[in-house]
Amino acid sequence: MCAGQTLDLESEDKQITADDLKEIHKGKTVAMIKVCAQIACAMADADGDTLEHYERYCDDIGLAFQIQDDILDVVGDYKKLGKPINSDSDKNKNTYVSFYGIEKCRKYVEELTNDAMESVCQLDEDENLRELAIFLAKRDH
């Protein structure tokens, strides 16, 4: 998480690639979500296949969450978000929206959400995890 945050701060006011942006968020948002699943799997003594399904799920919902966050920074409601709109662009931060635009980002969130749901279709918690993925993708705050 610290490495992702460091990369994020170092990339402000600099031109980076879309791959760099993905690495930043894999080291921040995705890592924060994924470690929770890894700890739970370790505590439950889950097998490697189960861990892999959860990790892929977390990769997908973590990235979808971040992209949705970038979308909301542009089109969100200040009252719901509790932060100023366009704060990322005001800080000259690299975002998915700045790379791909709103519509492509929305499609990417949908694809990642579908991929996440496929990753857990074999697990007992399938329905709850599907609902979580959908909630995160459609959130407005």
Side-chain angles (χ1 to χ4, degrees):
M1 192 99 188
C2 293
Q5 183 63 31
T6 300
L7 287 172
D8 192 17
L9 291 172
E10 289 175 349
S11 73
E12 287 184 21
D13 295 320
K14 292 181 183 170
Q15 188 170 6
I16 63 171
T17 67
D19 288 338
D20 293 336
L21 184 63
K22 189 173 185 177
E23 285 305 309
I24 288 168
H25 294 294
K26 283 173 68 177
K28 289 178 55 175
T29 309
V30 172
M32 185 172 54
I33 294 169
K34 189 188 273 189
V35 74
C36 298
Q38 291 168 330
I39 291 169
C41 284
M43 291 178 69
D45 200 26
D47 62 45
D49 286 341
T50 300
L51 175 61
E52 187 177 320
H53 287 295
Y54 280 114
E55 286 182 331
R56 280 199 316 256
Y57 172 83
C58 292
D59 286 341
D60 292 332
I61 67 165
L63 197 51
F65 179 93
Q66 183 59 54
I67 296 168
Q68 183 66 13
D69 197 61
D70 289 355
I71 292 169
L72 290 173
D73 185 68
V74 176
V75 299
D77 180 344
Y78 170 78
K79 290 178 185 175
K80 289 181 181 180
L81 292 174
K83 68 176 189 174
I85 304 306
N86 292 313
S87 62
D88 287 341
S89 63
D90 290 346
K91 295 176 187 171
N92 205 23
K93 292 188 78 157
N94 293 286
T95 68
Y96 286 92
V97 172
S98 66
F99 276 95
Y100 301 114
I102 297 286
E103 289 311 310
K104 191 168 182 180
C105 285
R106 285 183 172 145
K107 288 178 185 173
Y108 196 19
V109 167
E110 185 177 331
E111 289 170 18
L112 288 164
T113 301
N114 290 334
D115 290 347
M117 291 189 293
E118 278 184 36
S119 294
V120 296
C121 68
Q122 304 298 323
L123 301 172
D124 290 338
E125 298 85 1
D126 178 33
E127 191 58 35
N128 291 329
L129 294 174
R130 284 174 177 264
E131 288 178 19
L132 176 61
I134 292 167
F135 171 79
L136 293 176
K138 295 186 182 273
R139 69 190 176 87
D140 62 358
H141 59 287

